[in-house]
Amino acid sequence: MSHVPNDLKYSREHEWVRVDGTQAYIGITDFAQAELGDIVFVELPEVGAEITAGDTFGTVESVKTVSDLFAPVSGKVVQVNTGLEDAPELVNSAPYEGGWMIVVEMANPEELSQLLDADAYTALIDG
């Protein structure tokens, strides 16, 4: 059973969003990391990059596969978790804490309404 925190928003592509004012912390869900297996490399955008909701913003490479990361919201990347360069396994061990990927200054916070709450995301992955 995957851990799905109630205070986050979720995309259908298995990214999570933690909103802090106008900023959005983004990572992949516990379900996603479990499906991927042991993560060995994370490719993320540079600080200052503009991302658009629905577009890819990076990749996660596991021992099994390479998966695209899809932006749940649009905006400018203001922080990147550089700790993942040396410790990509944090995405497996702490997907909602140390395994966060980027922080985005949201261009359009209304996009959050398109995301799923914890109950809807749980229904999606249990479906």
Side-chain angles (χ1 to χ4, degrees), residues 62-92:
S62 72
V63 291
K64 292 195 276 192
T65 187
V66 176
S67 274
D68 285 334
L69 298 166
F70 293 94
V73 294
S74 303
K76 180 187 259 187
V77 177
V78 294
Q79 199 176 346
V80 174
N81 188 349
T82 54
L84 297 180
E85 291 171 16
D86 295 326
E89 65 276 4
L90 282 170
V91 175
N92 293 119

Side-chain angles (χ1 to χ4, degrees), residues 22-23 36 46 54 66 74 88 94-95 120:
T22 59
Q23 295 189 337
L36 288 167
E46 300 286 320
V66 176
S74 303

Side-chain angles (χ1 to χ4, degrees), residues 26-28 42 44 60 69 79-81 84 91 99-103:
I26 299 170
I28 65 168
V42 180
L44 299 172
V60 176
L69 298 166
Q79 199 176 346
V80 174
N81 188 349
L84 297 180
V91 175
W100 65 273
M101 295 180 175
I102 60 174
V103 181

